[in-house]
Amino acid sequence: MRERPAELSYKRSLFSIKSYIFYFLIITSAITCCLLLFLNHLELDYGSVRESAKLTAMNVLLISLIMTVLDGIYRKITLEYPMKRILKASQKLIAGDFSVRVPLAHDFDNTNELDVLIENFNRIAEELSGVETLRTDFVSNVSHEIKTPLSVIQNYASLLQNAELSEDKKEEYTEAIVDACRRLTGLITNILKLNKLENQQIFPESKEFDMDTQLSECIIRLDDMLERKDLEAEFDLEERVKVKSDRELLELVWNNLLSNAIKFTPQGGKITVSLKTDETMAVIKISDTGCGISSEVGKRIFEKFYQGDSSHATQGNGLGLALVKRVVDIVGGDISIESRLGEGSTFTVRLKRVLAEEPRQHLVPGK
């Protein structure tokens, strides 16, 4: 059972009074001991000591009281006031106000452990604010993305109840329902995958394999999509480029990037895939001659549910590139995008490659 604020305030005040009394007694004892040790080595007659004893005792009490008061003021200024600010801010944080921040107790040149505590508190509040914003956006976007295909299913299912529908209309409506179900299934699958990746429930299994072989296999599987849109495909894959990473997770990356390139490239366009190496990295570039994106869109392209081109929103759910970014981060790689409106986009993925071992030279005895 939680205590009321009045009871807590009373207990804090009582604790402070006890602390001051204890500190006062310690100082009084210390000064008295020092005086006794000092007087023990002086040869004074009993009468003079007795006369000054009362004055000395009063001085000890006065000095102890002054030091206690000064210490109390110092602690209030340097410790209690900042701690009260932190306490009030934490109560607001508990209540759901993630915008609260605590000002630093000292300047940058005079920071102490208390300032470090305040900085850490402000960072926690900032992170919680970001998490809350992401959670709100995520719920809003998921609700919207789920509502759209469900509305399609509901509408076409209602139309199918009409007994006078022709076979062509029935087939059309059924196909629309199947497409909506497929989209809904893909959305839920991607949400589950992204959730597992972000919560680190999927651990990469690093194995050595040829990157050029994997890219070739992914391209072959998308050959039908390329033919349907009459797209020109150009491949420049350096051979025997080995990487040590999770093969299945990287396959998810290439499938998403290639599918996006095909989706956003108009009829008769061109797709380019290249694999090159530098000193330590394998550099994969996937380019298209599609609509391209602006620099503002490029900054948010890897966010969940963000779709820069609303005209293609029905072909995806805005989670593909978020999955790609998370996978690349997990396997220790890097991904970037270069794009211009009307000219196309190029996604560049950099992964650490397995360096070929140099042949050892066998020394012949006597040479």
Side-chain angles (χ1 to χ4, degrees), residues 85-359:
R85 289 200 298 265
I86 296 175
L87 180 61
K88 289 181 180 179
S90 63
Q91 290 172 344
K92 291 182 179 179
L93 199 65
I94 292 171
D97 182 8
F98 300 112
S99 64
V100 64
R101 299 292 184 273
V102 181
L104 292 177
H106 302 94
D107 297 331
F108 179 76
D109 296 332
N110 300 314
T111 56
N112 56 16
E113 286 78 4
L114 184 60
D115 295 299
V116 175
L117 175 62
I118 292 174
E119 286 182 353
N120 290 338
F121 177 87
N122 290 336
R123 288 179 183 175
I124 291 171
E126 187 176 353
E127 289 295 327
L128 287 174
S129 177
V131 170
E132 177 64 16
T133 302
L134 286 175
R135 186 190 67 82
T136 304
D137 291 344
F138 184 80
V139 171
S140 175
N141 287 323
V142 167
S143 301
H144 173 74
E145 292 294 334
I146 291 179
K147 183 179 178 181
T148 302
L150 285 178
S151 298
V152 172
I153 294 171
Q154 182 180 4
N155 292 336
Y156 281 108
S158 299
L159 292 173
L160 283 173
Q161 291 178 344
N162 187 354
E164 298 179 359
L165 278 178
S166 63
E167 290 299 324
D168 292 340
K169 286 294 182 181
K170 287 181 180 180
E171 185 177 351
E172 178 186 346
Y173 296 164
T174 304
E175 185 177 349
I177 292 175
V178 171
D179 289 340
C181 290
R182 189 181 296 114
R183 182 182 174 190
L184 190 60
T185 303
L187 171 65
I188 295 173
T189 301
N190 283 338
I191 289 175
L192 292 175
K193 285 181 181 178
L194 191 57
N195 181 63
K196 288 182 178 180
L197 289 171
E198 290 185 339
N199 291 316
Q200 296 183 347
Q201 295 177 359
I202 295 178
F203 300 96
E205 298 180 1
S206 296
K207 293 182 180 180
E208 190 174 310
F209 62 92
D210 291 330
M211 177 54 63
D212 52 304
T213 302
Q214 186 183 50
L215 284 171
S216 299
E217 291 172 351
C218 291
I219 293 167
I220 290 172
R221 282 196 292 269
L222 297 174
D223 191 51
D224 291 340
M225 296 175 63
L226 291 169
E227 289 185 2
R228 280 198 298 269
K229 294 191 71 173
D230 191 26
L231 298 180
E232 179 185 352
E234 182 178 307
F235 311 112
D236 184 11
L237 305 180
E238 188 174 325
E239 295 181 355
R240 296 184 179 88
V241 178
K242 292 188 177 295
V243 298
K244 190 174 183 180
S245 188
D246 191 301
R247 189 184 184 99
E248 292 185 4
L249 287 179
L250 284 179
E251 188 173 316
L252 179 66
V253 171
W254 314 134
N255 286 337
N256 271 280
L257 292 179
L258 288 169
S259 298
N260 273 352
I262 295 172
K263 179 172 68 175
F264 289 103
T265 303
Q267 196 84 10
K270 182 179 180 181
I271 304 293
T272 304
V273 182
S274 70
L275 169 61
K276 301 293 182 182
T277 59
D278 56 21
E279 293 181 356
T280 59
M281 308 293 286
V283 183
I284 302 95
K285 293 188 177 184
I286 298 177
S287 306
D288 61 68
T289 58
C291 56
I293 58 175
S294 63
S295 57
E296 291 77 12
V297 174
K299 294 176 182 178
R300 302 185 57 192
I301 198 69
F302 296 110
E303 294 180 12
K304 287 178 287 190
F305 292 105
Y306 185 76
Q307 292 179 310
D309 184 6
S310 58
S311 64
H312 291 81
T314 57
Q315 301 180 32
N317 48 55
L319 288 177
L321 290 179
L323 280 168
V324 167
K325 181 68 168 66
R326 187 61 183 141
V327 169
V328 173
D329 289 342
I330 287 176
V331 300
D334 178 71
I335 184 169
S336 60
I337 180 174
E338 296 178 9
S339 183
R340 289 185 180 181
L341 282 173
E343 297 183 13
S345 305
T346 298
F347 285 88
T348 302
V349 179
R350 296 175 61 85
L351 300 169
K352 191 172 182 180
R353 68 186 181 93
V354 178
L355 301 178
E357 295 184 359
E358 296 183 0

